[in-house]
Amino acid sequence: ELGSRKRIRSVIADTKWLDLRERRIELLSELDKAMEERSIGIGYQPKVDLLSGRVVGAEALIRWEHPELGYIEPTEAVAVAEEHDRIDELTAYVVDRALEDAGAAIALDPMFKLAVNVSAQTLGSVMVLYHVARLRSRHRFPGKNLIIEVTESTPLDDIAVREIIRGLQKDDITFSIDDFGTGHSTLAYLGQVPSAELKIDRRFIMNLATSEDSLAVVKGTIEMAHTLGKVVVAEGIEDDLTAERLRRLGCDIGQGFLFSPAVAMDELLLMLEEEYSVACA
Ligand code: C2E
Ligand code: MG
Ligand code: MG
Ligand code: MG
């Protein structure tokens, strides 16, 4: 009896695994098609200066609405691309579209910074230098207006990866360590990594208003990052109290639903125009 129950459970597990595999294989062909048709959208989530409240930049995020499968989470699209060797292509697709869109934002604010996410796998290949240079020249996009966000799990102390980062930094591109606090980095690692921005992960920000522990961790992280000369970004700010606490702790930039979710570039441009007219009034 016990054995058969076990068997049933493992059959259910197998079925789930098969479903997932089937879905991933279907998604792979849909991904190829969507990149070709350019039907994967890009949303832009504003990054806000916490003191002035001004939009200083935006993060490009995949927004893929499939006609039959519905909304596909960016993390799933990225996982499929990584598993099947399409991640460089997907990165190039996003960077191409984002650089094209963000030209108008730079026209409104020459200091505007566009952030794109680059996965560890892509950053491990020198081809990324070639692709970024090619796309920047296609769109005449200045390096100083570009931020590359890499997750903390990227082996940034790897010599090859560091060479690549140095190559990109030579073109004035800024590096940002994304989801900070979720990986296994040591303080020594953080000091060695050539990055100019650090993004504290949402899970610490989420609990900031209620948890003394999170408060201590965030406070320490901000102090340490500032000592190392890095700009600090808090992601996932959803309420005023959290924003106020971060402001008091000296956090530089905020991102979160309190300010805005990812929006179409047209909408972002309206936000920038509004600020521009307020500043000129
Ligand atoms: P991420 O780079 O850490 O991006 C921030 C994520 O937090 C986004 O989720 C954003 O919508 C969400 N977020 C922002 N503010 C709030 C908030 O106040 N509350 C909550 N609950 N969530 C908030 P999204 O768009 O689902 O993207 C998830 C992840 O997928 C990203 O995390 C990034 O790692 C990855 N991703 C997205 N686009 C790309 C891409 O073009 N390339 C690569 N390699 N990865 C991407
Ligand atoms: Mg990011
Ligand atoms: Mg993040
Ligand atoms: Mg995150």
Side-chain angles (χ1 to χ4, degrees):
E1 213 251 45
L2 209 76
S4 79
R5 209 183 289 161
K6 236 189 218 160
R7 212 168 319 132
I8 288 168
R9 220 178 283 146
S10 91
V11 167
I12 291 171
D14 281 352
T15 311
K16 277 194 182 146
W17 186 79
L18 264 178
D19 284 351
L20 184 66
R21 261 196 76 77
E22 263 171 36
R23 180 176 160 86
R24 288 287 166 93
I25 287 164
E26 187 180 358
L27 277 180
L28 175 62
S29 73
E30 293 304 316
L31 181 71
D32 284 335
K33 203 161 76 185
M35 285 195 285
E36 208 181 295
E37 294 170 347
R38 286 173 73 85
S39 59
I40 297 174
I42 314 286
Y44 298 90
Q45 186 176 35
K47 285 167 105 167
V48 175
D49 179 313
L50 283 176
L51 278 187
S52 68
R54 288 187 50 123
V55 175
V56 292
E59 176 176 11
L61 295 161
I62 293 170
R63 289 293 175 262
W64 184 14
E65 195 66 54
H66 189 276
E68 281 111 45
L69 299 170
Y71 179 65
I72 293 156
E73 295 284 342
T75 46
E76 189 172 27
V78 168
V80 169
E82 281 182 337
E83 274 166 35
H84 299 277
D85 229 35
R86 302 294 200 287
I87 189 63
D88 286 4
E89 212 179 313
L90 183 61
T91 306
Y93 173 91
V94 173
V95 172
D96 187 24
R97 295 206 51 171
L99 295 191
E100 183 177 356
D101 286 352
I106 297 175
L108 284 171
D109 173 9
M111 301 291 281
F112 181 89
K113 284 185 192 290
L114 168 78
V116 294
N117 293 283
V118 169
S119 84
Q121 213 175 312
T122 298
L123 207 65
S125 142
V126 286
M127 284 307 283
V128 71
L129 289 174
Y130 162 78
H131 284 307
V132 170
R134 174 177 64 90
L135 294 169
R136 276 210 309 114
S137 101
R138 175 190 289 177
H139 300 291
R140 301 178 194 283
F141 197 97
K144 70 165 173 54
N145 293 102
L146 183 61
I147 297 178
I148 290 182
E149 294 188 6
V150 294
T151 53
E152 198 199 5
S153 55
T154 309
L156 295 176
D157 45 359
D158 181 279
I159 298 198
V161 170
R162 266 171 75 175
E163 279 304 306
I164 289 166
I165 291 180
R166 233 171 259 134
L168 290 161
Q169 282 180 321
K170 242 187 265 153
D171 292 331
D172 298 326
I173 294 167
T174 300
F175 264 82
S176 175
I177 302 177
D178 205 349
D179 301 340
F180 185 77
T182 60
H184 309 278
S185 53
T186 60
L187 297 185
Y189 165 95
L190 195 64
Q192 279 171 18
V193 172
S195 75
E197 185 182 276
L198 188 147
K199 294 183 83 172
I200 305 173
D201 192 67
R202 181 153 56 90
R203 77 182 66 176
F204 299 104
I205 307 304
M206 230 166 53
N207 300 322
L208 198 60
T210 50
S211 151
E212 291 305 309
D213 285 351
S214 285
L215 184 65
V217 170
V218 170
K219 184 170 186 275
T221 305
I222 292 172
E223 280 167 8
M224 175 189 60
H226 279 165
T227 305
L228 294 168
K230 298 181 200 302
V231 170
V232 185
V233 180
E235 57 178 21
I237 304 176
E238 295 187 354
D239 58 86
D240 280 315
L241 181 58
T242 303
E244 188 45 41
R245 281 201 162 176
L246 285 163
R247 228 171 264 133
R248 268 202 220 130
L249 293 174
C251 183
D252 306 290
I253 293 171
Q255 198 180 333
F257 297 162
L258 172 67
F259 307 112
S260 170
V263 296
M265 182 51 79
D266 284 350
E267 204 172 318
L268 184 78
L269 292 176
L270 285 178
M271 288 182 204
L272 290 171
E273 267 167 16
E274 237 162 69
E275 279 177 1
Y276 182 76
S277 62
V278 169
C280 289

